[in-house]
Coordinates of all heavy atoms in Angstrom, one line a residue:
M1 N 3.7 -6.2 -15.8 CA 2.8 -7.3 -16.1 C 1.8 -7.5 -15.0 O 0.6 -7.6 -15.3 CB 3.6 -8.5 -16.4 CG 2.7 -9.7 -16.8 SD 1.7 -9.4 -18.3 CE 2.7 -10.3 -19.4
A2 N 2.3 -7.4 -13.8 CA 1.4 -7.6 -12.6 C 0.3 -6.5 -12.6 O -0.8 -6.7 -12.3 CB 2.1 -7.7 -11.3
G3 N 0.8 -5.3 -12.9 CA -0.1 -4.1 -12.9 C -1.2 -4.3 -13.9 O -2.4 -3.9 -13.7
F4 N -0.8 -4.8 -15.1 CA -1.8 -5.0 -16.2 C -2.8 -6.1 -15.7 O -4.0 -5.9 -16.0 CB -1.1 -5.5 -17.4 CG -2.0 -5.9 -18.5 CD1 -2.6 -4.9 -19.3 CD2 -2.3 -7.2 -18.8 CE1 -3.5 -5.3 -20.3 CE2 -3.1 -7.6 -19.8 CZ -3.7 -6.6 -20.6
L5 N -2.4 -7.1 -15.1 CA -3.3 -8.2 -14.6 C -4.2 -7.7 -13.5 O -5.4 -8.0 -13.5 CB -2.5 -9.4 -14.2 CG -1.8 -10.1 -15.3 CD1 -0.9 -11.2 -14.7 CD2 -2.7 -10.7 -16.3
V6 N -3.7 -6.9 -12.6 CA -4.5 -6.3 -11.5 C -5.6 -5.3 -12.2 O -6.7 -5.4 -11.8 CB -3.7 -5.6 -10.5 CG1 -4.5 -4.7 -9.6 CG2 -2.8 -6.6 -9.7
H7 N -5.1 -4.5 -13.1 CA -6.0 -3.6 -13.8 C -7.1 -4.3 -14.5 O -8.3 -4.0 -14.3 CB -5.1 -2.8 -14.8 CG -5.9 -1.7 -15.5 ND1 -5.5 -0.4 -15.4 CD2 -7.0 -1.7 -16.3 CE1 -6.3 0.4 -16.1 NE2 -7.2 -0.4 -16.6
A8 N -6.8 -5.4 -15.2 CA -7.8 -6.2 -15.9 C -8.8 -6.8 -14.9 O -10.0 -6.9 -15.1 CB -7.2 -7.2 -16.8
A9 N -8.2 -7.4 -13.8 CA -9.0 -8.1 -12.8 C -10.0 -7.2 -12.2 O -11.1 -7.6 -11.8 CB -8.2 -8.8 -11.8
I10 N -9.7 -5.9 -12.0 CA -10.6 -5.0 -11.4 C -11.6 -4.4 -12.5 O -12.8 -4.3 -12.3 CB -9.8 -3.8 -10.7 CG1 -9.1 -4.4 -9.5 CG2 -10.8 -2.7 -10.3 CD1 -8.1 -3.4 -8.9
E11 N -11.0 -4.0 -13.6 CA -11.8 -3.2 -14.6 C -12.8 -4.0 -15.3 O -13.9 -3.6 -15.5 CB -10.8 -2.6 -15.6 CG -11.6 -1.6 -16.5 CD -10.6 -0.7 -17.3 OE1 -9.5 -0.4 -16.8 OE2 -11.0 -0.4 -18.4
I12 N -12.5 -5.2 -15.7 CA -13.5 -6.0 -16.5 C -14.8 -6.3 -15.7 O -15.9 -6.0 -16.2 CB -12.8 -7.3 -17.0 CG1 -11.8 -7.0 -18.0 CG2 -13.8 -8.3 -17.6 CD1 -10.9 -8.1 -18.5
P13 N -14.7 -6.8 -14.5 CA -16.0 -7.0 -13.7 C -16.7 -5.6 -13.4 O -17.9 -5.6 -13.5 CB -15.5 -7.7 -12.4 CG -14.2 -8.2 -12.7 CD -13.6 -7.4 -13.7
A14 N -15.9 -4.6 -13.1 CA -16.5 -3.3 -12.8 C -17.3 -2.8 -14.0 O -18.4 -2.3 -13.9 CB -15.4 -2.3 -12.4
I15 N -16.7 -2.8 -15.2 CA -17.4 -2.3 -16.4 C -18.6 -3.2 -16.7 O -19.6 -2.7 -17.1 CB -16.4 -2.3 -17.6 CG1 -15.4 -1.1 -17.4 CG2 -17.2 -2.1 -18.9 CD1 -14.4 -1.0 -18.4
A16 N -18.5 -4.5 -16.5 CA -19.6 -5.4 -16.7 C -20.8 -5.0 -15.8 O -21.9 -5.0 -16.2 CB -19.2 -6.8 -16.5
L17 N -20.5 -4.7 -14.5 CA -21.5 -4.3 -13.6 C -22.1 -3.0 -14.0 O -23.4 -2.8 -14.0 CB -21.0 -4.2 -12.2 CG -20.7 -5.5 -11.5 CD1 -20.0 -5.3 -10.2 CD2 -21.9 -6.4 -11.3
L18 N -21.3 -2.0 -14.4 CA -21.8 -0.7 -14.8 C -22.6 -0.7 -16.0 O -23.7 -0.1 -16.1 CB -20.6 0.3 -15.0 CG -19.8 0.7 -13.7 CD1 -18.6 1.5 -14.0 CD2 -20.7 1.5 -12.8
V19 N -22.2 -1.5 -17.0 CA -23.0 -1.6 -18.2 C -24.3 -2.3 -18.0 O -25.3 -2.0 -18.5 CB -22.1 -2.3 -19.3 CG1 -23.0 -2.6 -20.5 CG2 -21.0 -1.4 -19.7
G20 N -24.2 -3.3 -17.1 CA -25.4 -4.1 -16.8 C -26.5 -3.3 -16.1 O -27.7 -3.4 -16.4
D21 N -26.1 -2.5 -15.1 CA -27.1 -1.8 -14.3 C -26.4 -0.6 -13.7 O -26.0 -0.6 -12.6 CB -27.7 -2.6 -13.2 CG -28.9 -1.9 -12.5 OD1 -29.2 -0.8 -12.9 OD2 -29.5 -2.6 -11.7
F22 N -26.3 0.5 -14.5 CA -25.5 1.7 -14.1 C -26.2 2.4 -12.9 O -25.5 2.9 -12.0 CB -25.4 2.7 -15.3 CG -24.5 3.8 -15.0 CD1 -23.1 3.6 -15.1 CD2 -25.0 5.0 -14.6 CE1 -22.2 4.6 -14.8 CE2 -24.1 6.1 -14.3 CZ -22.7 5.9 -14.4
E23 N -27.5 2.4 -12.9 CA -28.2 3.1 -11.8 C -27.8 2.4 -10.4 O -27.7 3.1 -9.4 CB -29.7 3.1 -12.0 CG -30.1 4.0 -13.1 CD -29.8 5.4 -12.9 OE1 -30.0 5.9 -11.7 OE2 -29.4 6.1 -13.8
R24 N -27.8 1.1 -10.4 CA -27.5 0.4 -9.2 C -26.0 0.4 -8.8 O -25.7 0.6 -7.6 CB -28.0 -1.1 -9.4 CG -27.8 -1.9 -8.1 CD -28.4 -3.3 -8.3 NE -28.2 -4.1 -7.1 CZ -28.5 -5.3 -7.0 NH1 -29.0 -6.0 -8.0 NH2 -28.3 -6.0 -5.9
Y25 N -25.1 0.2 -9.8 CA -23.7 0.0 -9.4 C -22.9 1.3 -9.7 O -21.7 1.3 -9.4 CB -23.1 -1.1 -10.2 CG -23.7 -2.5 -9.9 CD1 -24.6 -3.1 -10.7 CD2 -23.5 -3.0 -8.6 CE1 -25.2 -4.3 -10.4 CE2 -24.1 -4.2 -8.3 CZ -24.9 -4.9 -9.2 OH -25.5 -6.1 -8.8
G26 N -23.5 2.3 -10.2 CA -22.7 3.6 -10.6 C -22.4 4.4 -9.4 O -21.6 5.4 -9.5
L27 N -22.9 4.1 -8.2 CA -22.6 4.8 -6.9 C -22.9 6.3 -7.1 O -22.2 7.1 -6.4 CB -21.1 4.6 -6.5 CG -20.7 3.2 -6.3 CD1 -19.2 3.1 -6.1 CD2 -21.5 2.5 -5.2
G28 N -23.8 6.7 -7.9 CA -24.2 8.1 -8.1 C -23.2 8.9 -8.9 O -23.3 10.1 -9.0
L29 N -22.2 8.2 -9.5 CA -21.2 8.9 -10.3 C -21.6 8.9 -11.7 O -22.2 8.0 -12.2 CB -19.8 8.3 -10.1 CG -19.2 8.2 -8.7 CD1 -17.9 7.4 -8.7 CD2 -19.0 9.6 -8.2
S30 N -21.1 9.9 -12.5 CA -21.3 9.9 -13.9 C -20.2 9.1 -14.6 O -19.3 8.7 -14.0 CB -21.3 11.4 -14.4 OG -20.0 11.9 -14.3
W31 N -20.4 8.9 -15.9 CA -19.4 8.2 -16.7 C -18.1 8.9 -16.7 O -17.0 8.4 -16.6 CB -19.8 7.9 -18.1 CG -20.7 6.7 -18.3 CD1 -22.0 6.6 -18.5 CD2 -20.2 5.3 -18.1 NE1 -22.4 5.3 -18.6 CE2 -21.3 4.5 -18.3 CE3 -19.0 4.7 -17.9 CZ2 -21.3 3.1 -18.2 CZ3 -18.9 3.3 -17.8 CH2 -20.1 2.5 -18.0
E32 N -18.2 10.3 -16.7 CA -17.0 11.1 -16.7 C -16.2 10.9 -15.3 O -15.0 10.9 -15.3 CB -17.3 12.6 -16.9 CG -17.8 12.9 -18.3 CD -19.2 12.5 -18.5 OE1 -20.0 12.3 -17.6 OE2 -19.6 12.4 -19.7
A33 N -17.0 10.8 -14.3 CA -16.4 10.6 -12.9 C -15.7 9.2 -12.9 O -14.6 9.0 -12.3 CB -17.4 10.7 -11.8
W34 N -16.3 8.2 -13.5 CA -15.7 6.9 -13.6 C -14.5 6.9 -14.4 O -13.5 6.1 -14.1 CB -16.7 5.8 -14.1 CG -17.7 5.4 -13.0 CD1 -19.0 5.7 -12.9 CD2 -17.3 4.6 -11.9 NE1 -19.5 5.1 -11.8 CE2 -18.5 4.4 -11.1 CE3 -16.2 4.0 -11.5 CZ2 -18.5 3.7 -10.0 CZ3 -16.2 3.2 -10.3 CH2 -17.4 3.1 -9.6
E35 N -14.4 7.7 -15.5 CA -13.2 7.8 -16.2 C -12.1 8.4 -15.3 O -10.9 8.0 -15.4 CB -13.4 8.7 -17.4 CG -14.1 8.1 -18.6 CD -14.2 9.0 -19.8 OE1 -13.2 9.6 -20.2 OE2 -15.3 9.1 -20.3
F36 N -12.4 9.4 -14.5 CA -11.5 9.9 -13.6 C -11.0 8.9 -12.6 O -9.8 8.8 -12.3 CB -12.0 11.2 -12.8 CG -11.1 11.8 -11.9 CD1 -10.0 12.5 -12.3 CD2 -11.3 11.6 -10.5 CE1 -9.1 13.1 -11.4 CE2 -10.4 12.2 -9.6 CZ -9.3 12.9 -10.1
V37 N -11.9 8.1 -12.1 CA -11.5 7.0 -11.1 C -10.6 6.0 -11.9 O -9.5 5.6 -11.3 CB -12.8 6.2 -10.7 CG1 -12.4 5.0 -9.9 CG2 -13.6 7.1 -9.8
H38 N -10.8 5.7 -13.1 CA -9.9 4.9 -13.9 C -8.6 5.5 -14.0 O -7.6 4.8 -13.9 CB -10.6 4.6 -15.3 CG -9.7 3.9 -16.2 ND1 -8.8 4.6 -17.1 CD2 -9.4 2.6 -16.4 CE1 -8.1 3.7 -17.8 NE2 -8.5 2.5 -17.4
D39 N -8.5 6.8 -14.4 CA -7.2 7.5 -14.5 C -6.4 7.5 -13.2 O -5.2 7.2 -13.2 CB -7.4 8.9 -15.0 CG -8.0 9.0 -16.4 OD1 -7.9 7.9 -17.1 OD2 -8.5 10.0 -16.8
V40 N -7.1 7.7 -12.1 CA -6.4 7.7 -10.8 C -5.9 6.3 -10.5 O -4.8 6.1 -10.0 CB -7.3 8.3 -9.7 CG1 -6.7 8.0 -8.3 CG2 -7.6 9.8 -9.9
G41 N -6.7 5.3 -10.7 CA -6.3 4.0 -10.5 C -5.1 3.5 -11.3 O -4.2 2.9 -10.8
T42 N -5.2 4.0 -12.6 CA -4.0 3.7 -13.5 C -2.8 4.3 -13.0 O -1.7 3.7 -12.9 CB -4.4 4.1 -14.9 OG1 -5.5 3.4 -15.3 CG2 -3.2 3.8 -15.8
A43 N -2.8 5.6 -12.6 CA -1.7 6.3 -12.0 C -1.1 5.6 -10.8 O 0.1 5.5 -10.6 CB -2.0 7.7 -11.8
L44 N -2.0 5.2 -9.9 CA -1.6 4.5 -8.7 C -0.9 3.1 -9.0 O 0.1 2.8 -8.4 CB -2.8 4.2 -7.8 CG -3.3 5.5 -7.1 CD1 -4.6 5.1 -6.3 CD2 -2.3 6.1 -6.2
L45 N -1.4 2.4 -10.0 CA -0.8 1.1 -10.4 C 0.6 1.4 -11.0 O 1.5 0.6 -10.7 CB -1.7 0.4 -11.4 CG -2.9 -0.4 -10.7 CD1 -3.8 -0.9 -11.8 CD2 -2.4 -1.5 -9.9
I46 N 0.7 2.4 -11.8 CA 2.0 2.7 -12.4 C 3.0 3.1 -11.3 O 4.1 2.7 -11.3 CB 1.9 3.8 -13.5 CG1 1.1 3.2 -14.7 CG2 3.2 4.4 -13.9 CD1 0.7 4.3 -15.7
A47 N 2.6 4.0 -10.4 CA 3.5 4.5 -9.4 C 3.8 3.3 -8.4 O 5.0 3.1 -8.1 CB 2.8 5.6 -8.6
G48 N 2.9 2.5 -8.1 CA 3.2 1.3 -7.2 C 4.1 0.3 -7.9 O 5.0 -0.2 -7.3
G49 N 3.9 0.1 -9.2 CA 4.8 -0.7 -10.0 C 6.2 -0.2 -10.0 O 7.2 -0.9 -9.9
A50 N 6.3 1.1 -10.2 CA 7.7 1.7 -10.2 C 8.4 1.6 -8.9 O 9.6 1.3 -8.8 CB 7.6 3.2 -10.6
V51 N 7.6 1.8 -7.8 CA 8.2 1.6 -6.4 C 8.6 0.2 -6.2 O 9.8 -0.1 -5.7 CB 7.2 2.1 -5.4 CG1 7.7 1.7 -4.0 CG2 7.1 3.6 -5.4
V52 N 7.8 -0.8 -6.5 CA 8.1 -2.2 -6.3 C 9.2 -2.6 -7.2 O 10.2 -3.3 -6.7 CB 6.8 -3.1 -6.5 CG1 7.2 -4.5 -6.5 CG2 5.8 -2.8 -5.4
G53 N 9.3 -2.1 -8.4 CA 10.4 -2.5 -9.3 C 11.7 -1.9 -8.8 O 12.7 -2.6 -8.9
F54 N 11.7 -0.7 -8.3 CA 12.9 -0.1 -7.8 C 13.4 -0.9 -6.6 O 14.6 -1.2 -6.5 CB 12.7 1.4 -7.4 CG 13.8 2.0 -6.8 CD1 14.9 2.4 -7.5 CD2 13.9 2.3 -5.4 CE1 16.0 3.0 -6.9 CE2 14.9 2.8 -4.8 CZ 16.0 3.2 -5.6
L55 N 12.5 -1.2 -5.7 CA 12.9 -1.9 -4.5 C 13.4 -3.3 -4.8 O 14.4 -3.8 -4.2 CB 11.8 -2.0 -3.5 CG 11.3 -0.6 -2.9 CD1 10.1 -0.8 -2.0 CD2 12.4 0.0 -2.1
Q56 N 12.8 -4.0 -5.7 CA 13.2 -5.3 -6.2 C 14.6 -5.2 -6.9 O 15.5 -6.0 -6.7 CB 12.2 -6.0 -7.1 CG 11.0 -6.5 -6.4 CD 11.3 -7.6 -5.4 OE1 11.9 -8.6 -5.8 NE2 11.0 -7.4 -4.2
G57 N 14.8 -4.1 -7.6 CA 16.1 -3.9 -8.3 C 17.2 -3.7 -7.3 O 18.3 -4.2 -7.4
K58 N 16.9 -2.9 -6.2 CA 17.9 -2.7 -5.2 C 18.3 -4.1 -4.5 O 19.5 -4.4 -4.3 CB 17.4 -1.7 -4.1 CG 17.5 -0.3 -4.6 CD 17.1 0.6 -3.5 CE 17.9 0.5 -2.2 NZ 17.6 1.5 -1.2
K59 N 17.3 -4.8 -4.2 CA 17.5 -6.1 -3.5 C 18.3 -7.1 -4.4 O 19.3 -7.6 -4.0 CB 16.2 -6.8 -3.1 CG 16.4 -8.1 -2.5 CD 15.1 -8.9 -2.4 CE 15.2 -10.3 -1.9 NZ 16.4 -10.8 -1.3
W60 N 17.9 -7.3 -5.6 CA 18.5 -8.3 -6.5 C 19.9 -7.8 -7.0 O 20.7 -8.6 -7.3 CB 17.6 -8.7 -7.6 CG 16.5 -9.5 -7.0 CD1 15.2 -9.2 -6.8 CD2 16.6 -10.8 -6.4 NE1 14.5 -10.2 -6.1 CE2 15.3 -11.2 -5.9 CE3 17.7 -11.7 -6.3 CZ2 15.1 -12.4 -5.3 CZ3 17.4 -13.0 -5.7 CH2 16.2 -13.3 -5.2
W61 N 20.1 -6.5 -7.1 CA 21.4 -6.0 -7.5 C 22.4 -6.4 -6.4 O 23.5 -6.9 -6.7 CB 21.4 -4.4 -7.6 CG 22.7 -3.9 -8.0 CD1 23.7 -3.6 -7.1 CD2 23.3 -3.7 -9.3 NE1 24.8 -3.1 -7.8 CE2 24.6 -3.2 -9.1 CE3 22.8 -3.8 -10.5 CZ2 25.4 -2.8 -10.2 CZ3 23.5 -3.5 -11.6 CH2 24.9 -3.0 -11.4
R62 N 22.0 -6.2 -5.2 CA 22.9 -6.6 -4.1 C 23.2 -8.1 -4.1 O 24.3 -8.5 -3.9 CB 22.3 -6.1 -2.7 CG 23.1 -6.4 -1.5 CD 22.5 -6.0 -0.2 NE 21.1 -6.2 -0.1 CZ 20.5 -7.4 0.2 NH1 21.3 -8.4 0.4 NH2 19.2 -7.5 0.3
V63 N 22.1 -8.9 -4.3 CA 22.3 -10.3 -4.2 C 23.2 -10.8 -5.4 O 24.1 -11.6 -5.2 CB 20.9 -11.0 -4.3 CG1 21.1 -12.5 -4.6 CG2 20.1 -10.8 -3.0
V64 N 22.9 -10.3 -6.6 CA 23.6 -10.8 -7.8 C 25.0 -10.2 -7.9 O 26.0 -10.9 -8.2 CB 22.8 -10.5 -9.0 CG1 23.6 -10.8 -10.3 CG2 21.5 -11.2 -9.0
Y65 N 25.2 -8.9 -7.6 CA 26.5 -8.3 -7.9 C 27.4 -8.0 -6.7 O 28.5 -7.7 -6.9 CB 26.3 -6.9 -8.7 CG 25.7 -7.2 -10.1 CD1 24.4 -6.8 -10.3 CD2 26.4 -7.8 -11.0 CE1 23.8 -7.1 -11.6 CE2 25.9 -8.0 -12.3 CZ 24.6 -7.7 -12.6 OH 24.1 -7.9 -13.8
V66 N 26.8 -8.0 -5.5 CA 27.6 -7.8 -4.3 C 27.8 -9.1 -3.5 O 29.0 -9.4 -3.3 CB 26.9 -6.7 -3.4 CG1 27.7 -6.5 -2.1 CG2 26.7 -5.4 -4.2
E67 N 26.8 -9.8 -3.2 CA 26.9 -11.0 -2.4 C 27.4 -12.2 -3.3 O 28.1 -13.0 -2.7 CB 25.6 -11.4 -1.8 CG 25.2 -10.3 -0.7 CD 23.7 -10.6 -0.2 OE1 23.2 -11.7 -0.6 OE2 23.2 -9.8 0.5
R68 N 27.0 -12.2 -4.5 CA 27.4 -13.3 -5.4 C 27.3 -14.7 -4.8 O 28.3 -15.4 -4.5 CB 28.8 -13.0 -5.9 CG 28.9 -11.8 -6.7 CD 30.3 -11.6 -7.3 NE 30.3 -10.3 -8.0 CZ 31.4 -9.6 -8.3 NH1 32.5 -10.1 -7.9 NH2 31.3 -8.5 -8.9
P69 N 26.1 -15.2 -4.6 CA 25.9 -16.4 -3.8 C 26.5 -17.6 -4.5 O 26.8 -18.6 -3.8 CB 24.4 -16.5 -3.7 CG 23.9 -15.7 -4.8 CD 24.9 -14.6 -5.0
L70 N 26.7 -17.6 -5.8 CA 27.2 -18.8 -6.5 C 28.8 -18.7 -6.6 O 29.4 -19.6 -7.2 CB 26.6 -18.9 -7.9 CG 25.1 -19.1 -7.9 CD1 24.6 -19.1 -9.3 CD2 24.7 -20.4 -7.1
G71 N 29.4 -17.7 -6.1 CA 30.8 -17.5 -6.2 C 31.3 -17.1 -7.6 O 32.5 -17.2 -7.8
I72 N 30.4 -16.7 -8.4 CA 30.8 -16.4 -9.8 C 31.4 -15.0 -9.8 O 30.9 -14.1 -9.2 CB 29.6 -16.4 -10.8 CG1 29.0 -17.8 -10.8 CG2 30.0 -16.0 -12.1 CD1 27.7 -18.0 -11.6
R73 N 32.6 -14.8 -10.4 CA 33.2 -13.5 -10.5 C 33.0 -13.0 -12.0 O 33.2 -13.7 -12.9 CB 34.7 -13.6 -10.3 CG 35.0 -14.1 -8.9 CD 34.7 -13.0 -7.9 NE 34.8 -13.6 -6.5 CZ 33.9 -13.3 -5.5 NH1 32.9 -12.5 -5.7 NH2 34.1 -13.8 -4.3
Y74 N 32.6 -11.8 -12.0 CA 32.3 -11.2 -13.3 C 33.5 -10.4 -13.9 O 34.2 -9.8 -13.2 CB 31.1 -10.2 -13.3 CG 29.9 -10.9 -12.8 CD1 29.4 -10.8 -11.5 CD2 29.2 -11.8 -13.6 CE1 28.3 -11.4 -11.0 CE2 28.0 -12.4 -13.1 CZ 27.6 -12.2 -11.8 OH 26.5 -12.9 -11.4

């Protein structure tokens, strides 16, 4: 969910700028190049989300199932 929100927060203003004045904000790239930038950014967000999710899973698994802070036995 966080990756989706980050993606939207970056992409919506970027596309608005590109559509509004492509010559000024296009940075000399073509639309095809911008599609590639989008694909790379998406892959990075997915990979980052997977890494953060894995690390959070390791942390909370230990807290919930090993340390058992509430003293609850399963």
